[in-house]
Amino acid sequence: MRFMILIKATKDSEAGVMPSEQLLTEMGKFNEELVKAGVMVAGEGLHPSTKGARIRFSGEKRTVVDGPFTETKELIAGFWIWDVKSKEEAIEWVKRCPNPMYEDSEIEIRQVFTADDFGPALTPELREQEERLRAQTAEKK
C-alpha cells in the first residue's frame, strides 16, 4: 500500500525559515532508515506558498491565484511517498520521525489510490493507458 505523508506548514516554514544542520542530519538519518527498510518511494521539501500558485476551476474558466496563501494550517511544507503494508505501519514510521519543525507540528497520512479502487469506471482501455503512462514515466528516471 502506498501512502503520501504530508508535512504540514507552519508560520516559520511559510516565512522561509530553513532547517538547521542538526535537523537536516536527523531527517537524513530517518530517511536512510526508510530507504534501508524499502519504505521510501519519494520525498521532498517544498518552498513556501509565496513561490506557489493555485488554479481555480469553474466550468471552462481557469483563474490563477498567486501565493502566498493565508491559511497556514492547510498548507504543505513537504511530503514523502511510502510503500508499507498498512496505515498502522505508516503511523509507526511517522511516530519515529524527528519533529520536522521548530515548533509543534503535524504530519498527515493519506492512502494513495490504486487502479482497482476505481472499479468499473476504469475501463480496460483506461487501465491500459494508465499502465502505459506509468511505464513511460519509469523510463524517464
Side-chain angles (χ1 to χ4, degrees):
M1 302 174 87
R2 289 184 307 146
F3 288 85
M4 179 170 262
I5 313 304
L6 303 165
I7 302 165
K8 298 296 189 107
T10 63
K11 288 181 183 177
D12 279 350
S13 68
E14 274 298 291
V17 175
M18 297 300 286
S20 66
E21 181 179 345
Q22 178 183 346
L23 181 54
L24 289 172
T25 300
E26 290 173 7
M27 288 301 247
K29 287 178 183 175
F30 181 67
N31 286 338
E32 281 184 359
E33 290 179 43
L34 292 168
V35 170
K36 286 178 184 174
V39 169
M40 189 161 148
V41 175
E44 301 292 343
L46 302 174
H47 282 273
S49 68
T50 54
K51 295 185 177 186
R54 290 181 177 166
I55 294 81
R56 290 199 176 116
F57 290 74
S58 180
E60 296 296 317
K61 184 178 178 186
R62 307 295 185 263
T63 305
V64 176
V65 179
D66 289 321
F69 308 116
T70 55
E71 288 296 321
T72 303
K73 65 183 178 187
E74 296 178 6
L75 299 176
I76 305 301
F79 71 91
W80 285 286
I81 296 179
W82 292 348
D83 191 352
V84 293
K85 292 179 180 70
S86 65
K87 181 174 77 172
E88 291 71 29
E89 182 181 355
I91 290 169
E92 289 307 311
W93 276 106
V94 170
K95 288 164 80 176
R96 295 172 53 187
C97 178
N99 184 349
M101 302 294 173
Y102 297 115
E103 56 196 282
D104 289 350
S105 64
E106 188 172 288
I107 295 178
E108 182 176 334
I109 300 171
R110 302 277 302 273
Q111 188 171 349
V112 175
F113 279 114
T114 65
D116 291 338
D117 293 325
F118 293 98
L122 189 67
T123 64
E125 296 81 16
L126 292 172
R127 185 180 293 269
E128 182 181 312
Q129 177 189 37
E130 175 70 17
E131 290 169 359
R132 180 176 40 78
L133 293 173
R134 286 187 183 273
Q136 288 174 353
T137 303
E139 288 174 8
K140 291 184 178 186
K141 290 182 182 180

